[in-house]
Every structure is written in structure tokens, then in C-alpha cells.
């Protein structure tokens, strides 16, 4: 099978217009052959076209790169995945003494460490990750280590980066260049926005309405605290160079060994379950999401910044990887539509649809009612006339900028006793999924959505 690039480009252009996303850069690595193209504009104000050399912010896809660098330390015998973090960072401590002693690198890679992201303001200097370690001495536990899965946007991978810094005696940005970018022959991938050639950079965009269209984001970059978990910029070609490492037992396209074949197997096969399996996948590996596409195991790594988004899907059984970088969104239905155009051309399995609600379920809705949240996030689940609803509380400044109310109400449609569909309340949204689970005390103790976990508050 070969790709009909003109047809796919035309279809992507239609989808960009439909979703009000300014541009997309797409790469396909199939049986060792690379195909790439770009559609749209880098910036809606300048109208400069996006090209295959345009660099996009990769957001949390950065975590997979950080995981690869960390696995090099494992290969070198310098760290163990199941040794306590304080073995390598003697000053590591959080509010819970047991967690301080028990949290391991594997917990951090899995997002099962349970530490609240209470790292304060560590600044924008190169010592930011050392400061984050210092600042979490009073950080509480969202859940006990290993108890469940709860995504750590910045802190978990900052701790892994700090272990790398202490071992290598260098700052994280230099470590990534020396351990990964230079050996892999990458010239367009950077870990800090000051390293990026602005002439090649896509600009992020937000959208408040389809009528208004995309707006240049007022926040150009994430804070430096997100570095190891979210600050890489790259091209679709060089994102696929990282995918090549997973498809080829640890070697880069230039033949350089990046990590051992054993470490790649560990990264792919060591897993924990995800409470909400429907939106992304049922399990989390070491730096990767594990998906089940109609029986085929697919690995995913995604990322979003303020106005830019990155998606990568790796299909080892089919020797294929798909990369999608955009400067608008995120909309999962957009990425699924783009991927399915490519996968259909290749005669491969496509992205599965979300499950349908189960209308035969007779749930005790009182078990789910309550307030769930963490700092900066609040959800209220309530029952009314035999139906379950979720109210999302938005930050007032965010709501004002997006022209949204500060409370948005959604109906929850049960798929099972613990999983729900949440249909959109706005044409700019997709259907989301929610898990309400752990009935240890008779009522659900956690709400899990978009990979984030929120414990019951009352």
C-alpha cells in the first residue's frame, strides 16, 4: 500500500478549516520509509505557510524523550527503576514520610507517585529543577504511591531530570542535547524556547468561537518548570526519529544506539492500568500510553501547550509510526480523522471509536455524588431526575478570555459502573470520558479524566 499524498493533503486542509486549526505538519514512518508534508499557515496574522521544516511545541511528548535519557542511566547501571528516589537525591522529601521513603523512578515514569504538584515558583533559571526538589518538602499526597494513576504535568519528570543533572553534573537542557539530540543527528529539536530559531517556529493559537476563528495565544511558552515534561520543540521528521528508536530496538535512523534493546522492551512492556481507559488507552508504560486498537497494541505519546499540540502513534507490529503537530486545538476527533485517513490508505487498523452508553445499567447515583478536586481543578457530580451530571468550575480569568461561563455542566452517560461518557456542551469540544471509582468507603473516592486524578473532597 502507498499513501495518496495529494488526497490526504486535501482532506487535512478540509479538516483544518472545519476545526479552525491554522496548520498541521504530518509525518509517516512505514517499513522504514519516511513521508512528510505540511498544510496551512504558521501564524494567522502573517499567513506564512507551514512547511516540513516548521518547528512546533511538543508539550508532554517531551516526557518520552526524558524517559529515554533516563533509561540511558539505567543501561549504565547508575540508577535502578525500583530504588527509592532519595537514593539519588538524598534531600528528597515530601510531607508524607512514607512516600518520601518509597517513591521510585518507576513511580515517576508511570505517574503513580501521587505527589501534589505543589512546587511553588521555582523561577526561570537553570537551577529550576533543583529548586523544585527543595520546594516540595511540604507537598501533600493526592494518593499513596502506587495506589492509582494520576498524571503529573511537571513535577514527576522534573524529578527524573534532577537525577540526571546530579549524575551528569550538567543542566537538563545540555544533558538532552548531549545524550539524545546530538547522537541522533537532530538539528531541529530543542528543549528551551531560547534555543529555537523563531523564523522556523509555529505560533500557537486558541479559539473562542468558530465564527471568530483562531487567535494568536497570549502565552507563547510554558514555564521552565515544565521543561522535562513539556518544553521540547521539534519537527514531524525528528519526532519520527524518536519513534524509530522504539521501532528498531533502541537505534536511531543514523544507526547510533540510543538505549539498549532491553530498555526499549522495559519501556514498552512494564505497565500500570489507567482508571479511564477509553480516551487514550487502558495502560501506561514507561513514558508511553498503551492503546488497544481492535486487538493491535499501539503506543502513544501526546502533548499540548497553550495553543500547540503534538500526537505520536507507534505501531510496532506494523513497523509504522504517525506524527501530527498542530498550532491549534487540541481536538481528539481531528487527530483521529487525520490518522484514519493515513491508516486507511495503508490498509491498517484504524483508531477505535468511543464505546456507546449502556442504557441497561441501573446505578445507585448517590455513590458518585460529591465534590472532587485539587488545587486549580474542581468538579461537582450531582444526580437529578435519575441522571448524573458533572459541573466543571473554570478559572475566572480563563473563562473570561475564552468567553465561557465559570461553571459548565455536562451529563454523564454510563458505559459501566465506573466509566462514563461526557458529551460536549459546546461545538468546540469533543466527547470526553470520565472514571469514578474506588468505592472503598461506599462512595467513589476518585474522579479521573484526561489522565488527571482528583480525589473526593466531600
Amino acid at each position: 500500500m502507498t499513501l495518496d499524498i495529494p488526497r490526504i493533503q486535501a482532506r487535512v486542509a478540509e479538516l483544518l478549516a472545519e476545526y479552525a486549526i491554522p496548520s498541521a505538519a504530518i509525518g509517516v514512518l512505514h517499513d522504514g520509509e519516511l513521508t512528510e508534508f505540511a498544510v496551512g499557515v504558521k501564524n494567522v496574522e502573517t499567513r506564512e505557510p507551514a512547511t516540513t521544516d516548521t518547528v512546533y511545541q511538543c508539550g508532554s511528548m517531551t516526557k518520552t524523550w526524558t524517559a529515554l535519557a533516563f533509561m540511558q542511566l539505567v543501561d549504565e547501571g547508575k540508577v535502578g527503576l525500583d530504588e527509592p528516589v532519595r537514593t539519588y537525591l538524598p534531600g528528597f522529601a515530601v510531607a508524607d514520610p512514607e512516600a518520601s521513603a518509597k517513591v521510585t523512578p518507576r513511580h515517576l515514569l508511570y505517574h503513580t507517585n501521587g505527589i501534589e504538584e505543589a512546587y511553588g515558583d521555582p523561577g526561570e533559571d537553570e537551577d529550576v529543577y533543583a529548586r523544585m526538589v527543595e520546594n516540595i518538602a511540604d507537598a501533600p499526597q493526592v494518593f499513596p504511591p502506587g495506589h492509582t494513576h494520576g498524571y503529573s504535568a511537571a513535577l514527576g519528570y522534573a524529578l527524573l531530570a534532577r537525577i540526571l543533572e546530579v549524575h551528569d553534573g550538567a543542566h537538563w537542557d545540555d544533558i538532552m542535547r548531549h545524550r539524545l539530540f546530538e547522537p541522533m543527528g537532530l538539528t531541529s529539536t530543542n528543549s528551551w524556547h531560547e534555543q529555537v530559531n523563531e523564523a522556523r517556529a509555529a505560533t500557537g493559537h486558541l479559539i473562542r468561537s468558530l465564527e471568530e476563528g483562531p487567535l494568536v495565544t497570549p502565552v507563547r511558552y510554558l514555564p521552565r518548570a515544565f521543561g522535562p515534561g513539556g518544553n521540547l520543540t521539534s519537527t514531524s521528521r525528528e519526532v519520527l526519529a524518536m519513534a524509530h528508536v522504539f521501532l528498531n530496538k533502541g537505534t536511531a535512523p543514523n544507526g547510533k544506539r540510543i538505549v539498549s534493546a532491553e530498555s526499549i522492551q522495559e519501556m514498552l512492556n512494564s505497565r500500570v492500568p489507567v482508571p479511564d481507559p477509553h480516551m487514550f488507552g487502558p495502560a501506561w508504560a514507561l513514558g508511553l500510553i498503551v492503546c488497544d486498537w481492535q486487538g493491535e497494541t499501539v503506543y502513544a505519546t501526546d502533548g499540548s501547550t497553550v495553543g500547540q499540540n503534538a500526537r505520536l502513534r507507534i505501531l510496532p507490529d506494523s513497523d509504522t509510526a504517525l506524527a501530527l503537530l498542530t498550532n491549534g486545538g487540541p481536538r481528539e476527533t481531528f487527530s483521529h480523522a487525520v490518522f484514519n485517513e493515513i491508516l486507511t490508505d495503508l490498509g491498517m487498523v484504524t483508531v477505535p471509536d468511543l464505546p456507546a452508553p449502556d442504557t441497561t445499567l441501573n446505578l445507585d447515583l448517590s455513590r458518585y455524588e460529591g465534590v472532587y478536586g485539587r488545587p486549580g481543578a474542581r468538579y461537582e457530580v450531582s444526580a437529578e431526575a435519575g441522571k448524573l451530571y458533572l459541573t466543571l468550575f473554570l478559572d475566572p480569568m480563563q473563562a473570561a478570555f475564552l468567553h465561557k461561563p465559570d461553571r459548565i455542566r455536562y451529563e454523564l452517560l454510563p458505559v459501566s459502573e465506573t466509566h462514563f461518557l461526557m458529551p460536549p456542551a459546546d461545538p468546540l469540544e469533543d466527547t470526553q470520558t470520565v472514571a469514578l471509582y474506588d468505592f472503598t468507603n461506599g462512595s467513589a473516592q476518585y474522579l479521573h479524566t484526561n489522565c488527571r486524578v482528583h480525589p473526593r473532597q466531600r
Side-chain angles (χ1 to χ4, degrees):
M1 295 280 184
T2 57
L3 291 173
D4 184 346
I5 298 301
R7 184 194 68 79
I8 295 174
Q9 283 181 304
R11 179 61 180 141
V12 170
E14 293 174 354
L15 290 166
L16 289 173
E18 178 183 345
Y19 285 87
I21 297 172
S23 74
I26 296 165
V28 181
L29 182 62
H30 180 63
D31 289 338
E33 182 177 341
L34 174 65
T35 303
E36 55 181 338
F37 58 92
V39 183
V41 297
K42 295 195 302 185
N43 183 310
V44 296
E45 296 174 353
T46 67
R47 309 302 299 175
E48 185 180 354
T51 73
T52 54
D53 287 326
T54 299
V55 294
Y56 292 78
Q57 296 176 17
C58 293
S60 287
M61 187 185 288
T62 305
K63 292 178 172 67
T64 309
W65 294 88
T66 301
L68 279 171
F70 194 83
M71 292 305 290
Q72 289 182 343
L73 277 190
V74 175
D75 281 342
E76 294 161 9
K78 302 299 193 302
V79 299
L81 292 173
D82 299 305
E83 292 296 318
V85 166
R86 61 170 38 165
T87 303
Y88 314 109
L89 301 178
F92 170 76
V94 293
D96 183 342
E98 186 174 356
S100 302
K102 286 188 174 181
V103 168
T104 67
R106 195 183 298 272
H107 287 130
L108 302 176
L109 290 160
Y110 276 158
H111 300 277
T112 59
N113 62 87
I115 305 168
E116 184 57 80
E117 307 244 334
Y119 51 78
D121 179 7
E124 294 291 303
D125 296 328
E126 288 185 316
D127 64 351
V128 58
Y129 311 117
R131 289 184 177 277
M132 290 173 77
V133 174
E134 295 172 359
N135 290 356
I136 59 172
D138 296 324
Q141 291 299 119
V142 180
F143 55 84
H147 181 69
T148 188
H149 172 275
Y151 190 76
S152 174
L155 179 61
Y157 278 68
L159 294 174
L160 293 169
R162 183 57 187 155
I163 294 173
L164 278 159
E165 287 186 331
V166 170
H167 178 268
D168 285 10
H171 294 297
W172 180 75
D173 299 298
D174 295 328
I175 290 169
M176 294 300 283
R177 183 155 306 284
H178 296 152
R179 281 187 171 270
L180 294 180
F181 307 157
E182 290 176 352
M184 293 175 68
L186 307 183
T187 58
S188 301
T189 302
N190 293 286
S191 58
W192 181 229
H193 70 85
E194 292 180 356
Q195 303 166 338
V196 177
N197 179 352
E198 287 296 324
R200 294 178 56 195
T203 301
H205 297 80
L206 300 176
I207 183 166
R208 299 187 290 203
S209 72
L210 290 172
E211 294 73 25
E212 184 180 37
L215 305 169
V216 170
T217 175
V219 181
R220 295 299 182 96
Y221 308 102
L222 293 178
R224 199 162 195 165
F226 284 84
N231 274 348
L232 248 71
T233 58
S234 193
T235 63
S236 60
R237 181 188 317 117
E238 296 197 355
V239 166
L240 288 175
M242 186 256 282
H244 186 283
V245 172
F246 288 98
L247 291 173
N248 292 273
K249 299 181 180 180
T251 59
N254 61 5
K256 178 76 173 181
R257 176 158 296 283
I258 303 304
V259 295
S260 68
E262 292 76 15
S263 280
I264 291 295
Q265 286 302 305
E266 183 75 10
M267 292 182 75
L268 299 178
N269 295 329
S270 178
R271 305 172 183 176
V272 292
V274 175
D276 169 19
H278 298 301
M279 183 56 69
F280 297 105
W284 209 282
L286 300 182
L288 294 159
I289 308 165
V290 186
C291 311
D292 181 354
W293 287 7
Q294 304 164 47
E296 181 163 354
T297 300
V298 178
Y299 297 91
T301 175
D302 291 352
S304 298
T305 62
V306 185
Q308 301 199 44
N309 297 278
R311 302 287 182 265
L312 175 65
R313 299 294 178 268
I314 303 171
L315 295 81
D317 293 343
S318 303
D319 193 19
T320 299
L322 313 177
L324 170 63
L325 308 178
T326 69
N327 58 345
R331 293 286 297 276
E332 297 310 321
T333 51
F334 170 81
S335 63
H336 291 180
V338 173
F339 285 152
N340 283 343
E341 291 290 333
I342 297 167
L343 293 163
T344 299
D345 255 19
L346 293 174
M348 293 170 55
V349 64
T350 54
V351 184
D353 294 329
L354 292 174
D358 186 344
T359 58
T360 67
L361 288 170
N362 184 21
L363 304 179
D364 178 358
L365 302 186
S366 66
R367 302 174 74 204
Y368 308 94
E369 290 187 289
V371 175
Y372 304 81
R374 291 168 62 181
R378 176 184 168 91
Y379 299 86
E380 184 173 318
V381 177
S382 58
E384 182 180 319
K387 295 183 177 181
L388 206 60
Y389 295 90
L390 180 149
T391 300
L392 168 63
F393 291 73
L394 292 181
D395 173 78
M397 290 183 63
Q398 177 190 13
F401 177 79
L402 295 175
H403 296 174
K404 289 179 177 287
D406 59 7
R407 299 183 185 189
I408 305 176
R409 193 183 195 215
Y410 301 88
E411 185 176 356
L412 295 180
L413 305 178
V415 172
S416 70
E417 290 189 357
T418 53
H419 300 111
F420 299 83
L421 298 179
M422 191 167 75
D426 185 296
L428 298 176
E429 298 177 348
D430 295 326
T431 296
Q432 299 178 64
T433 56
V434 175
L436 289 158
Y437 64 104
D438 189 348
F439 297 91
T440 304
N441 298 320
S443 299
Q445 298 302 300
Y446 298 98
L447 183 153
H448 194 281
T449 187
N450 194 32
C451 297
R452 273 77 170 172
V453 69
H454 306 86
R456 174 181 288 273
Q457 295 181 330
R458 56 179 173 85

Coordinates of all heavy atoms in Angstrom, one line a residue, residues 166-191:
V166 N 22.1 15.6 38.6 CA 23.1 15.3 39.7 C 24.1 14.3 39.2 O 25.3 14.4 39.5 CB 22.3 14.7 40.9 CG1 23.3 14.2 41.9 CG2 21.5 15.9 41.5
H167 N 23.7 13.3 38.4 CA 24.6 12.3 37.9 C 25.6 12.9 36.9 O 26.8 12.6 37.0 CB 23.9 11.1 37.3 CG 24.8 10.1 36.7 ND1 25.2 10.1 35.4 CD2 25.5 9.0 37.3 CE1 26.1 9.2 35.2 NE2 26.3 8.5 36.3
D168 N 25.1 13.6 35.9 CA 25.9 14.1 34.8 C 26.7 15.4 35.2 O 27.6 15.8 34.4 CB 25.1 14.4 33.6 CG 24.6 13.1 32.9 OD1 24.8 12.0 33.5 OD2 24.1 13.2 31.8
G169 N 26.3 16.1 36.3 CA 26.9 17.3 36.6 C 26.7 18.4 35.6 O 27.6 19.2 35.3
A170 N 25.5 18.4 35.0 CA 25.1 19.4 33.9 C 23.7 19.7 34.1 O 22.9 19.1 34.8 CB 25.4 18.8 32.6
H171 N 23.3 20.8 33.4 CA 21.9 21.2 33.4 C 21.1 20.4 32.4 O 21.6 19.9 31.4 CB 21.7 22.7 33.1 CG 22.3 23.6 34.1 ND1 21.8 23.6 35.4 CD2 23.3 24.4 34.1 CE1 22.5 24.4 36.1 NE2 23.5 25.0 35.4
W172 N 19.8 20.2 32.6 CA 18.9 19.3 31.8 C 19.0 19.6 30.3 O 19.1 18.7 29.5 CB 17.5 19.4 32.3 CG 16.6 18.5 31.6 CD1 16.5 17.1 31.6 CD2 15.6 18.9 30.5 NE1 15.5 16.6 30.8 CE2 15.0 17.7 30.1 CE3 15.3 20.1 30.0 CZ2 14.0 17.7 29.1 CZ3 14.3 20.1 29.0 CH2 13.7 19.0 28.6
D173 N 19.0 20.9 29.9 CA 19.0 21.2 28.5 C 20.2 20.7 27.9 O 20.2 20.2 26.7 CB 18.8 22.7 28.3 CG 17.5 23.3 28.9 OD1 16.5 22.8 28.4 OD2 17.6 24.1 29.8
D174 N 21.4 20.8 28.5 CA 22.6 20.3 28.0 C 22.6 18.8 27.9 O 23.2 18.2 27.0 CB 23.8 20.8 28.8 CG 24.0 22.4 28.7 OD1 23.7 22.9 27.6 OD2 24.4 23.0 29.7
I175 N 22.1 18.2 29.0 CA 22.0 16.7 29.0 C 21.2 16.2 27.8 O 21.6 15.2 27.2 CB 21.4 16.3 30.4 CG1 22.3 16.6 31.5 CG2 21.0 14.8 30.3 CD1 21.7 16.4 32.9
M176 N 20.1 16.8 27.5 CA 19.3 16.3 26.4 C 20.0 16.4 25.1 O 19.9 15.6 24.2 CB 17.9 17.1 26.4 CG 17.1 16.8 27.6 SD 16.6 15.1 27.8 CE 15.3 14.9 26.5
R177 N 20.7 17.5 25.0 CA 21.5 17.7 23.7 C 22.6 16.7 23.6 O 22.8 16.1 22.5 CB 22.1 19.1 23.7 CG 22.8 19.5 22.4 CD 22.8 20.9 22.1 NE 21.5 21.5 22.1 CZ 20.6 21.4 21.1 NH1 21.0 20.7 20.0 NH2 19.4 21.9 21.2
H178 N 23.3 16.5 24.7 CA 24.5 15.5 24.6 C 24.1 14.1 24.6 O 24.7 13.3 23.9 CB 25.4 15.8 25.8 CG 26.0 17.2 25.8 ND1 26.4 17.9 26.9 CD2 26.3 18.0 24.7 CE1 26.9 19.0 26.6 NE2 26.9 19.1 25.3
R179 N 23.0 13.8 25.3 CA 22.6 12.4 25.4 C 21.7 11.9 24.2 O 21.7 10.7 23.9 CB 21.9 12.1 26.7 CG 22.8 11.9 27.9 CD 22.0 11.5 29.2 NE 22.9 11.1 30.3 CZ 23.4 9.9 30.5 NH1 23.1 8.9 29.7 NH2 24.2 9.7 31.5
L180 N 20.9 12.8 23.7 CA 19.9 12.4 22.7 C 20.0 13.2 21.4 O 20.2 12.6 20.3 CB 18.5 12.6 23.2 CG 18.1 11.7 24.4 CD1 16.6 12.0 24.8 CD2 18.2 10.2 24.0
F181 N 19.9 14.5 21.4 CA 19.8 15.2 20.1 C 21.0 15.1 19.3 O 20.9 14.8 18.0 CB 19.5 16.7 20.4 CG 18.3 17.0 21.3 CD1 18.3 18.2 22.0 CD2 17.3 16.1 21.5 CE1 17.2 18.5 22.8 CE2 16.2 16.3 22.3 CZ 16.2 17.5 23.0
E182 N 22.2 15.3 19.8 CA 23.4 15.2 19.0 C 23.7 13.8 18.5 O 24.0 13.6 17.3 CB 24.6 15.8 19.8 CG 24.5 17.3 19.9 CD 25.7 17.9 20.8 OE1 26.4 17.1 21.4 OE2 25.8 19.1 20.8
P183 N 23.6 12.8 19.4 CA 23.9 11.4 18.9 C 22.9 11.0 17.8 O 23.2 10.2 16.9 CB 23.7 10.5 20.2 CG 24.0 11.4 21.3 CD 23.5 12.8 20.9
M184 N 21.6 11.4 17.9 CA 20.6 11.1 16.9 C 20.7 11.9 15.7 O 20.0 11.7 14.7 CB 19.2 11.2 17.5 CG 19.0 10.2 18.7 SD 17.3 10.5 19.5 CE 16.2 10.0 18.2
G185 N 21.6 12.9 15.7 CA 21.8 13.8 14.5 C 20.6 14.7 14.3 O 20.3 15.2 13.2
L186 N 20.0 15.2 15.4 CA 18.8 16.1 15.3 C 19.3 17.5 15.3 O 20.0 17.9 16.3 CB 17.9 15.8 16.4 CG 17.4 14.3 16.6 CD1 16.4 14.2 17.7 CD2 16.8 13.8 15.3
T187 N 18.9 18.3 14.4 CA 19.3 19.7 14.3 C 18.1 20.7 14.5 O 18.3 21.9 14.6 CB 19.9 20.0 13.0 OG1 19.0 19.7 11.9 CG2 21.2 19.2 12.8
S188 N 16.9 20.1 14.6 CA 15.7 21.0 14.8 C 14.9 20.7 16.1 O 13.8 21.3 16.3 CB 14.7 20.7 13.6 OG 15.3 21.0 12.4
T189 N 15.5 20.0 17.0 CA 14.8 19.6 18.2 C 15.6 20.4 19.4 O 16.8 20.2 19.5 CB 14.8 18.1 18.5 OG1 14.2 17.5 17.4 CG2 14.1 17.8 19.8
N190 N 14.8 21.1 20.2 CA 15.4 21.9 21.3 C 14.5 21.7 22.5 O 13.3 21.4 22.4 CB 15.5 23.3 20.9 CG 16.5 23.6 19.8 OD1 17.7 23.5 20.0 ND2 16.0 23.9 18.6
S191 N 15.1 22.0 23.7 CA 14.4 21.8 24.9 C 14.0 23.1 25.6 O 13.4 23.1 26.7 CB 15.3 20.9 25.9 OG 16.5 21.6 26.1

